[in-house]
Amino acid sequence: MNNEAVAVILILMKKLLKNAVLCKIKNAGDAAREGKAGPLLATVSGVLSTKPDLIRYADERLGFAVVTTKSFQIEPNEGNREPIICEPELGCFGNSVGLKNPGMKEALKALTALKSSFDMKAILNVSLSASSPEDFITLIQGFEPVADCMELNFSCPHAAAGYGASIGCDKNIAADYVRQIKKAVPECSVPIFIKLTPNVENIGEIAAAVIAEGADGITAINTAGPKIYIEPDSGKPILQNKLGGKGGMSGSWIFLRAVECISEIRKAVGPGIPIIGMGGVASGAQAAELLMAGADIVGIGSACGMLEQDDLKPFFDNLVSDALSFINGKEKDSTSIFLRKNKALAYSPFKIIQKEKLSEDIIIFVLDGSCKFEAGQFVFLWLPGIGEKPFSLAETNPMSLIIKRRGVFTEAMFKLKEGETVYMRGPYGKGVQLAKTKNALLVAGGTGIAVLPSLAEKLKEQGTNIFTYIGTSEDTGGGSLNSIEQKLVSYGNYKCVADNGCPARVLQSLEKDFSENKISEIKELTCYLVGPMIFMRKAAELLLACGVIGARIFLSLEMNTMCGIGICGECACGNILTCKKGTFVRFDEIYRTAELKKL
């Protein structure tokens, strides 16, 4: 067989693979509208399936037919400072993530490893963002080997100039982009969908224009807006970005606009073009409305922020069943029982009533309020115009937090005086479920000590003997105990070891005490570790070597978190959303995850 024949065969194979994806999407919509099958579901860009482990989770555990990545760009993008999300009304969100992503090189590496690690059943829809046809072409050529479908972001309302809606709001610009892209990659083996913005009066015309230039399908809608969201007590914008706090609208308040837009798109492009539809869907009836308007696949996004992680699968299953019943004339609601009934992102103001300086870089802040809080949960502190960060509460009545100087936000906190106001939202996550145990070992590094008082209190209530080991970077107490240490001492055995130039020196002390049988009855010992990931890993390795089994070692995974409600996926360790499940996770459940393996 000569080279020309091989080339022809390869082109035919590419077309077959491409057509198979398009047919799967289109046939799914036709079957659902005819009432023969429930709708197929898709994750939407930037929600839930934002990391490789979560992509696999959405495919294997949640049953999505299309799994969409976050929008990738050629270079890494840190996105906007927190807050990146707010909830002005129940189920109605404002968001401004700012297209945070690791860049093409790292994303390709991660997706390649993911696709080679298991047999993915879902269509992997890779979302791409660029500000020029040339950059889109580079991204398409780069991601083609790992993608089953590619979605070009012509629609983000809060992206930098030249990106997102800057392209999709103009029919001629959008069409020209697609024309240049298709000319450069005429034999691309995966379908190219264009994601459109609802913030136009002629979305049907824009859809028809990009299809005429060779786009294979349409995704709609992206978030509406943008608009500014004002926090009522402070009178300040909540979102933190270069647009003065403007952010897109998602969730319930854009559903009717989504139906309207998809209907216009379907009329404009005709019956044969596949459409992935989304926008505020949170019930089977709404999914059915989107299908009848012309969508072939139904995307679920903001509703994820209304659910506990354990409820994701039953919610999606019931939504599909309800949609099928609705189309067949039998309306039912099996999903609303899973949706939370109260807003989760509202801030409350608190005054600083005391600042206890532990060192030049660590301060205990005491606030004038109380809070129901358990070990494993966390709260967000917000300073208008500065940003927000997550913290654990050290004590709950009055509330206190241990804050270490790290960056812009904590620097601003250090400058606040007693009597000034901070804002708090939360708590988020679930408290750790304590197993009945005779002895408990609590090990914390640095400001991880903040997690321990509420944990020790619950353990003491059930009659547990407590051994607490604290590691600090330097001896800051001058022989005296701070208020948090005093409380921990009252609960049992307490030892604080300063590193003094030897990182994790407290673990050496712990190992010595094990060897001298100062901590006995290992089979009756449950261990709780708090601190930087590498510190907890070393502590876990020590405990395993001393005979403690992995099922009795709990790590507090205080991952980088941004939303707190299960939308952004930033807090995930493997497929565990710590903002939902709580920060404490059993070692034997997570030791294979990338977060531990990479250290």
Side-chain angles (χ1 to χ4, degrees):
M1 186 178 295
N2 60 37
N3 291 338
E4 289 185 5
V6 171
V8 170
I9 291 173
L10 288 174
I11 290 172
L12 289 174
M13 289 179 64
K14 285 183 177 182
K15 288 183 177 179
L16 286 173
L17 291 172
K18 181 176 179 177
N19 288 335
V21 172
L22 293 171
C23 286
K24 180 177 180 179
I25 295 173
K26 196 70 195 69
N27 291 342
D30 292 340
R33 279 184 288 274
E34 293 170 6
K36 296 178 180 179
L40 297 186
L41 302 183
T43 64
V44 306
S45 182
V47 177
L48 188 61
S49 53
T50 53
K51 292 183 177 181
D53 284 335
L54 292 176
I55 291 172
R56 183 167 184 168
Y57 174 65
D59 176 36
E60 289 187 327
R61 302 281 292 278
L62 301 181
F64 280 94
V66 177
V67 179
T68 307
T69 68
K70 62 171 57 184
S71 288
F72 297 122
Q73 298 168 313
I74 292 177
E75 298 298 329
N77 183 349
E78 294 182 354
N80 294 324
R81 284 184 59 82
E82 305 91 334
I84 51 91
I85 191 167
C86 59
E87 188 180 18
E89 301 175 24
L90 179 63
C92 299
F93 300 97
N95 61 80
S96 178
V97 178
L99 297 173
K100 175 183 172 71
N101 74 95
M104 182 172 73
K105 182 178 179 181
E106 287 301 314
L108 267 174
K109 181 180 177 181
L111 292 180
T112 300
L114 175 71
K115 291 291 287 279
S116 65
S117 68
F118 81 115
D119 182 18
M120 188 169 183
K121 296 180 177 62
I123 294 169
L124 180 61
N125 181 27
V126 178
S127 178
L128 305 175
S129 170
S131 60
S132 70
E134 293 77 16
D135 283 355
F136 269 120
I137 291 163
T138 298
L139 289 164
I140 290 168
Q141 291 172 333
F143 283 97
E144 183 180 357
V146 298
D148 301 313
C149 182
M150 284 184 276
E151 175 182 289
L152 309 190
N153 186 340
F154 283 17
S155 49
C156 179
H158 50 78
Y163 291 85
S166 300
I167 305 166
C169 281
D170 187 297
K171 177 179 71 174
N172 295 323
I173 293 175
D176 184 58
Y177 265 62
V178 176
R179 183 185 308 116
Q180 293 187 53
I181 290 167
K182 294 297 289 187
K183 182 178 179 180
V185 289
E187 303 301 335
C188 181
S189 61
V190 300
I192 295 175
F193 280 58
I194 306 300
K195 189 169 187 179
L196 296 180
T197 173
N199 305 319
V200 293
E201 296 180 356
N202 60 335
I203 193 169
E205 292 180 14
I206 296 171
V210 297
I211 293 297
E213 294 298 341
D216 298 295
I218 300 294
T219 304
I221 58 175
N222 207 324
T223 51
K227 62 177 290 186
I228 295 176
Y229 309 90
I230 300 297
E231 195 282 319
D233 184 84
S234 65
K236 302 292 185 181
I238 298 173
L239 301 180
Q240 187 81 11
N241 57 38
K242 296 178 181 178
L243 301 176
K246 290 182 180 180
M249 301 166 64
S250 63
S252 299
W253 54 7
I254 69 167
F255 171 70
L256 293 179
R257 179 58 178 155
V259 173
E260 181 182 33
C261 287
I262 290 167
S263 178
E264 290 179 21
I265 292 168
R266 177 56 72 199
K267 290 175 183 176
V269 302
I273 300 300
I275 298 173
I276 301 175
M278 61 199 63
V281 173
S283 71
Q286 290 177 329
E289 286 189 62
L290 224 58
L291 288 164
M292 300 311 292
D296 296 303
I297 300 281
V298 177
I300 307 294
S302 297
C304 296
M306 304 290 290
L307 301 163
E308 294 298 328
Q309 186 170 0
D310 289 341
D311 291 337
L312 290 172
K313 176 62 172 170
F315 173 83
F316 298 139
D317 289 346
N318 285 1
L319 185 145
V320 169
S321 175
D322 287 358
L324 181 59
S325 295
F326 187 91
I327 289 172
N328 286 317
K330 298 179 181 179
E331 186 171 351
K332 65 175 183 175
D333 175 14
S334 305
T335 57
S336 61
I337 59 171
F338 297 106
L339 300 171
R340 59 178 167 82
K341 304 302 187 289
N342 298 297
K343 292 199 298 182
L345 300 177
Y347 293 98
S348 297
F350 295 98
K351 299 286 187 185
I352 299 171
I353 58 175
Q354 183 182 350
K355 292 174 66 178
E356 182 180 352
K357 184 177 179 181
L358 303 187
S359 71
E360 289 300 316
D361 292 323
I362 301 176
I363 292 178
I364 298 176
F365 287 81
V366 183
L367 308 181
D368 68 338
S370 61
C371 176
K372 290 184 178 180
F373 183 89
E374 297 181 46
Q377 295 184 304
F378 62 93
V379 299
F380 282 90
L381 288 186
W382 174 56
L383 297 178
I386 303 296
E388 73 172 1
K389 291 294 178 183
F391 297 93
S392 178
L393 289 178
E395 296 185 90
T396 59
N397 190 17
M399 294 182 292
S400 66
L401 309 94
I402 302 177
I403 297 180
K404 183 174 183 178
R405 192 196 310 264
R406 297 182 187 276
V408 173
F409 181 85
T410 52
E411 189 68 42
M413 283 292 300
F414 272 46
K415 292 178 181 178
L416 294 178
K417 299 176 181 178
E418 292 178 0
E420 293 194 271
T421 299
V422 297
Y423 291 83
M424 180 185 295
R425 63 179 175 97
Y428 300 100
K430 294 180 179 178
V432 60
Q433 298 300 305
L434 299 177
K436 185 69 176 177
T437 183
K438 183 176 181 179
N439 301 310
L441 174 66
L442 281 53
V443 183
T447 55
I449 189 176
V451 178
L452 300 188
S454 56
L455 176 61
E457 183 176 8
K458 287 189 68 175
L459 287 166
K460 200 65 179 178
E461 287 174 357
Q462 64 181 32
T464 302
N465 298 318
I466 299 173
F467 301 84
T468 301
Y469 286 73
I470 304 297
T472 62
S473 58
E474 58 186 31
D475 190 354
T476 60
S480 62
L481 299 177
N482 62 55
S483 57
I484 306 300
E485 290 176 313
Q486 290 173 18
K487 192 164 188 176
L488 290 172
V489 167
S490 71
Y491 290 132
N493 300 280
Y494 178 85
K495 180 179 283 190
C496 181
V497 180
D499 290 346
N500 291 332
C502 179
R505 186 162 164 259
V506 66
L507 299 183
Q508 296 177 12
S509 178
L510 177 60
E511 184 175 22
K512 183 174 181 291
D513 288 352
F514 266 115
S515 67
E516 295 176 357
N517 293 319
K518 292 182 179 179
I519 302 175
S520 57
E521 299 182 87
I522 288 178
K523 291 183 179 180
E524 296 290 331
L525 181 68
T526 301
C527 307
Y528 299 89
L529 312 179
V530 188
M533 188 69 78
I534 193 166
F535 173 84
M536 292 192 293
R537 174 180 167 173
K538 289 181 177 179
E541 289 173 346
L542 168 61
L543 294 170
L544 291 169
C546 291
V548 182
I549 62 172
R552 297 183 75 91
I553 301 173
F554 291 81
L555 284 69
S556 180
L557 302 176
E558 298 180 16
M559 313 298 290
N560 178 38
T561 184
M562 298 176 72
C563 73
I565 56 172
I567 285 181
C568 72
E570 287 294 317
C571 71
C573 182
N575 60 24
I576 299 169
L577 296 172
T578 57
C579 71
K580 291 293 187 181
K581 293 282 196 175
T583 62
F584 276 101
V585 182
R586 261 176 33 194
F587 179 81
D588 62 333
E589 293 179 341
I590 56 137
Y591 76 99
R592 289 191 179 93
T593 66
E595 282 79 2
L596 284 175
K597 286 173 67 177
K598 69 185 179 184
L599 296 175

